[in-house]
Amino acid sequence: MSKDRDKQGRRKGGGKGGRSGAPKRPRGRQSRYTVAAGERILELLRGGVSLRKAAEGEGLTCQTVQRWCAAHPAFAEQYARAREAGYAALGERLLELTGVAHDAARDEVTGRMRIEACRFEADVLKWTLARMLPKVYGDRKAVEVSGPDGKDLLPQHSREEMAEFAAMLASAQAEVARCTDGLESNYDGDGGSCGDE
């Protein structure tokens, strides 16, 4: 082993920069984030393009763009606004499809196939928008039921009213129990009524 190398085969000494004296590069994966690349991706997202296609246009993955969002707060804010604009663009595309389907209906040869293609694209867009913006495009409707002036539909009862109701219920249960005691002996064969005492 050479005198200028340690046990692992690395050069001894040399300071921070190694043999050339240049500063050491930081360890780990280097970010490929640039403002220009970020803006190109955001522009595609604003147009309604998926994140996967926008990232592939720059030779990146979706995960890389998501890491950029985590590492650069300003980019994350622009990304969120670009996604909202992209979803609005998809909503506009849904409206355009109705015109395309109307035009296709006039064509006797290929009209039916074009209408089916429009229907398929509209279904995909509706599904996507319903998942991404459920409050705006979702199918689920929330129904709130309330009484007049926003009060409870069922009124609240006082303790006295509840006690009175409980006493009436107990009295009715006692009457039913009295009538059903010895039902066989009170049954007169004409439909079974509570016997007079």
Side-chain angles (χ1 to χ4, degrees):
M1 186 176 300
S2 172
K3 290 183 186 179
D4 58 342
R5 298 202 178 260
D6 63 8
K7 291 181 182 179
Q8 285 80 25
R10 296 182 299 226
R11 287 183 177 263
K12 290 183 179 179
K16 287 184 175 179
R19 61 187 146 156
S20 66
K24 285 185 176 180
R25 287 185 293 170
R27 296 183 144 223
R29 184 183 306 174
Q30 299 299 308
S31 175
R32 293 171 54 188
Y33 174 75
T34 64
V35 174
E39 186 54 42
R40 287 190 298 270
I41 289 173
L42 294 175
E43 189 60 35
L44 291 172
L45 292 175
R46 285 184 203 105
V49 174
S50 70
L51 175 59
R52 184 174 311 282
K53 284 194 175 189
E56 284 175 358
E58 291 294 316
L60 303 169
T61 64
C62 298
Q63 292 81 10
T64 300
V65 177
Q66 290 165 348
R67 279 194 297 271
W68 290 359
C69 289
H72 306 281
F75 178 74
E77 186 178 326
Q78 292 173 342
Y79 174 83
R81 285 189 306 227
R83 290 304 290 230
E84 288 176 13
Y87 296 139
L90 293 180
E92 291 293 321
R93 176 68 182 148
L94 271 173
L95 295 176
E96 290 173 8
L97 285 174
T98 59
V100 172
H102 281 290
D103 292 342
R106 295 185 187 115
D107 185 356
E108 293 179 12
V109 178
T110 61
R112 184 171 292 205
M113 289 187 305
R114 289 173 49 207
I115 290 172
E116 285 301 317
C118 288
R119 181 176 294 143
F120 177 73
E121 186 176 352
D123 288 345
V124 169
L125 288 173
K126 287 190 295 187
W127 183 88
T128 302
L129 290 171
R131 297 305 176 275
M132 298 303 168
L133 298 174
K135 290 182 180 177
V136 178
Y137 296 101
D139 294 334
R140 183 176 295 168
K141 303 288 184 211
V143 178
E144 183 178 333
V145 179
S146 62
D149 301 325
K151 295 180 182 173
D152 289 338
L153 189 60
L154 298 174
Q156 298 296 321
H157 297 285
S158 66
R159 288 181 185 256
E160 293 81 22
E161 292 172 321
M162 295 299 287
E164 184 181 335
F165 177 74
M168 283 184 356
L169 184 60
S171 172
Q173 287 174 334
E175 184 66 23
V176 168
R178 186 183 67 77
C179 284
T180 57
D181 270 350
L183 188 60
E184 293 92 21
S185 64
N186 292 334
Y187 183 73
D188 60 6
D190 291 335
S193 60
C194 185
D196 293 330
E197 295 182 17

